[in-house]
């Protein structure tokens, strides 16, 4: 769906925009492991300048399981007063992000924005404001550049869609 050159060029553009929008501010890139790791790594270098990265992990929201995601690893550092950009590989239903944003907002960052590489807008359930989007995608199940199927394919340098046959196999 997206080859590595296309991704690289778009990440460079996003990095320039984020850098310009946060000039002279202490920027904190916050990522939800593991999917956002690869994008964050490239984006942080595309932004350049002074910034810090921090990571959290959550057990994914499962529809019909009471509606609460669970933090399995919290951020190391306080974000109060920081310009926080939450970096995601993909926003799908938006339910996970909705929970994470609510949590981070309660810690009183100066600003809190979302940057996602991929937006599967047609699948959205929870409306989320997204400041920076790499690519709008359809409903296909995607792998690569951080996205996985049962933990595999994250390290592909491109984004591919998986066929129904591959998924059911
Ligand atoms: P949500 O539905 O927006 O809460 O998405 C939660 C998580 O589901 C994402 O952060 C991804 O880890 C995963 N996810 C959503 N769509 C895909 C996909 O197409 N491929 C791989 N993982 C996905
Ligand atoms: Mg994810």
């Amino acid at each position: 769906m997206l080859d590595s050159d296309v991704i690289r060029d778009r990440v460079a553009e996003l990095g320039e925009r984020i850098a310009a929008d946060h000039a002279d501010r202490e920027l904190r890139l916050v990522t939800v492991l593991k999917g956002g790791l690869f994008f964050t790594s490239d984006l942080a270098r595309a932004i350049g300048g002074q910034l810090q990265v921090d990571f959290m992990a959550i057990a994914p929201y499962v529809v019909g399981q009471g509606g609460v995601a669970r933090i399995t690893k919290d951020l190391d550092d306080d974000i109060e007063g920081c310009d926080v950009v939450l970096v995601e590989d993909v926003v799908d239903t938006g339910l996970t992000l909705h929970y994470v944003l609510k949590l981070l907002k309660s810690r009183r960052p100066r600003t809190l924005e979302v940057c996602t590489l991929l937006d599967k807008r047609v699948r959205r359930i929870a409306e989320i404001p997204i400041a920076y989007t790499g690519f709008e995608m359809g409903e296909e199940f995607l792998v690569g550049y951080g996205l996985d199927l049962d933990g595999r394919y994250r390290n592909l340098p491109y984004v591919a869609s998986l066929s129904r046959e591959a998924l059911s196999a």
Side-chain angles (χ1 to χ4, degrees):
M1 307 287 285
L2 303 169
D3 74 31
S4 58
D5 294 358
V6 169
I7 296 171
R8 194 192 52 227
D9 290 352
R10 186 68 181 136
V11 172
E13 286 172 11
L14 290 174
E16 273 175 36
R17 270 182 53 204
I18 293 172
D21 292 351
H22 297 269
D24 306 320
R25 295 293 315 174
E26 181 70 13
L27 191 59
R28 185 77 51 89
L29 296 187
V30 165
T31 303
V32 180
L33 295 171
K34 303 169 185 158
L37 181 61
F38 299 80
F39 179 35
T40 301
S41 167
D42 288 340
L43 186 65
R45 285 173 285 188
I47 295 169
Q50 297 251 355
L51 60 76
Q52 294 186 43
V53 292
D54 205 348
F55 302 95
M56 61 189 298
I58 53 170
Y61 177 99
V62 179
V63 176
Q65 245 185 37
V68 197
R70 189 170 49 86
I71 295 185
T72 56
K73 184 217 174 297
D74 205 343
L75 298 176
D76 288 330
D77 300 313
D78 200 9
I79 56 169
E80 187 169 344
C82 292
D83 280 18
V84 174
V85 175
L86 181 62
V87 183
E88 265 285 12
D89 50 350
V90 57
V91 182
D92 186 36
T93 64
L95 292 171
T96 312
L97 200 52
H98 178 77
Y99 168 79
V100 173
L101 284 173
K102 205 162 84 179
L103 176 82
L104 294 182
K105 205 173 270 177
S106 73
R107 298 177 180 181
R108 305 200 300 158
R110 194 183 80 95
T111 61
L112 177 59
E113 298 173 309
V114 175
C115 175
T116 186
L117 181 73
L118 309 176
D119 184 356
K120 292 163 81 170
R121 167 148 289 286
V122 289
R123 302 222 343 129
R124 198 77 88 253
I125 294 173
E127 227 16 82
I128 306 280
I130 299 181
Y132 307 98
T133 301
F135 303 93
E136 298 251 353
M137 308 300 286
E139 295 194 60
E140 299 93 341
F141 189 85
L142 306 168
V143 293
Y145 202 71
L147 285 83
D148 71 302
L149 174 67
D150 294 337
R152 292 158 67 200
Y153 306 117
R154 290 191 198 280
N155 58 330
L156 292 175
Y158 51 83
V159 171
S161 67
L162 280 186
S163 64
R164 277 181 201 288
E165 301 80 72
L167 279 171
S168 55

